[in-house]
Amino acid sequence: MEGYIDIHSHILPGLDDGADSLERTIRMLEIAYGEGIRTMIATPHYRESRKLIPIGYLEETLGKVEDEIAHLLPDMKIYMGSEVFYSHNMLSLLRERKVPTLGGSRYVLVEFMYGIDFTSMKNGLQEFLYGGYQPILAHGERYPELMKDLEQVMELKEMGIAIQVNSMNIIRSFGKHRHASSKKLFQHDLVDFLATDCHSDSIRAPVLKNTLAYLKKRYGDRYIEQLLVHNPKRILQNK
Ligand SMILES: [Fe+2]
């Protein structure tokens, strides 16, 4: 099997609440490597109410990490991206290239306030669609208002929104509610991407194995490949 592609990670050092040093980044990458991941999209938080990370600084930071792993993990590849916290201006900031898309494609990883109502979420996602971007809803299992009725998730999918689920939430690491929601999304075949959303080398490390064992038993190998190889490749190929 080809290496997995993790499309949601806070792997780059010193940019957000993810890795806090280059050493931590390296340890996280080693863990990811051990889990079968060979490609990561670095998705630091971009939130309009906070200072946006300048793209040049993001590139520079990525370059430092690439230099560091060139000998250590030569077949690990990292792409630039972001996790966009929805606000109305974000579309303009994407267009002005002040906020990076996933791997330079038209795919955008979007998160919302957890308590957001469904209509506001739908309208927000629609803005990106109408603007010519392909939105991926980050950790769809986390939004109680969305998850209280699966018809709503189906409505988003029909609009053309892709759904990403965090691997840790499937094996109950972060609470019963998120676990139940992830399970429901999988049972109804509503998941497009599985990702680690890693923030550290401990509690929120880039781990997949337990989740994959769970999914493999229920849905088989091909499904795992779809979520972690084929669909992510479509992002990198901008399909
Ligand atoms: Fe995240």
Side-chain angles (χ1 to χ4, degrees), residues 186-210:
F186 277 104
Q187 278 164 353
H188 291 84
D189 196 18
L190 295 167
V191 184
D192 300 288
F193 299 99
L194 181 71
T196 69
D197 192 10
C198 59
H199 280 68
S200 72
D201 55 348
S202 54
I203 181 102
R204 297 181 80 183
V207 291
L208 286 174
K209 278 181 186 160
N210 290 342

Side-chain angles (χ1 to χ4, degrees), residues 67-134:
D67 289 348
E68 201 67 29
I69 60 166
H71 295 293
L72 212 57
L73 304 169
D75 54 341
M76 180 68 101
K77 170 96 183 117
I78 309 171
Y79 288 87
M80 218 164 76
S82 69
E83 181 175 13
V84 170
F85 187 90
Y86 172 77
S87 61
H88 186 64
N89 253 339
M90 272 297 175
L91 182 60
S92 319
L93 293 167
L94 278 162
R95 284 184 171 147
E96 290 162 24
R97 298 183 189 278
K98 286 185 179 151
V99 175
T101 61
L102 298 183
S105 70
R106 60 193 176 81
Y107 286 80
V108 186
L109 184 67
V110 188
E111 69 166 338
F112 291 85
M113 257 177 336
Y114 293 157
I116 192 166
D117 64 277
F118 176 64
T119 308
S120 308
M121 176 185 266
K122 191 173 96 174
N123 293 343
L125 290 166
Q126 215 147 30
E127 283 176 29
F128 293 106
L129 271 181
Y130 290 162
Y133 292 94
Q134 169 59 61

